Amino acid sequence: MNIDLQRRYDSPEDFFALGGSVVMKLSTDAAITVCEWAAKRGLVIARIEGGIWHFPGFEARIDCIWDGEEPPVDICVAEQNNTVAAAFIRSESQAHDVFVVTAPKVTGW
């Protein structure tokens, strides 16, 4: 199953099942949940890019970019980082409704 680049995904499970890092457009709730679950799956959130969804299509916004920790990191650092990533999405959710999450393994790219 391939990632549909013209779709906004509402399921955090799809992100993990399809390997959605860097390319998958996620709804606000799905992106927050991905951040909350990522460390348990050995991932650290390295970047969040927010934007506005136009059916279909993603309008990336340069005013909605967050950079997190770069791997390798230990799991405790990843958990703290990913909590901050989720908070960033919450803080941007009034103006932005879709997010691209970059989540490499904690051990490295």
Side-chain angles (χ1 to χ4, degrees):
M1 191 172 187
N2 294 326
I3 296 171
D4 182 350
L5 299 178
Q6 297 302 311
R7 176 181 167 197
R8 180 178 65 183
Y9 287 81
D10 296 316
S11 169
E13 288 91 357
D14 288 342
F15 179 87
F16 297 107
L18 299 174
S21 182
V22 182
V23 296
M24 185 178 278
K25 285 79 171 183
L26 297 166
S27 67
T28 300
D29 290 340
I32 289 168
T33 303
V34 164
C35 293
E36 293 171 344
W37 293 358
K40 293 179 183 81
R41 290 171 165 77
L43 304 174
V44 61
I45 307 303
R47 175 170 270 203
I48 303 283
E49 298 170 82
I52 300 167
W53 185 249
H54 301 285
F55 182 73
F58 173 64
E59 177 188 339
R61 300 296 303 233
I62 197 159
D63 63 337
C64 187
I65 297 173
W66 177 88
D67 287 316
E69 294 288 337
E70 290 276 333
V73 297
D74 68 40
I75 201 69
C76 291
V77 170
E79 288 173 350
Q80 292 171 351
N81 175 80
N82 297 355
T83 298
V84 175
F88 171 77
I89 294 169
R90 285 184 189 96
S91 74
E92 291 293 331
S93 65
Q94 294 299 325
H96 305 92
D97 63 350
V98 65
F99 297 87
V100 175
V101 177
T102 300
K105 293 180 181 182
V106 295
T107 56
W109 295 94

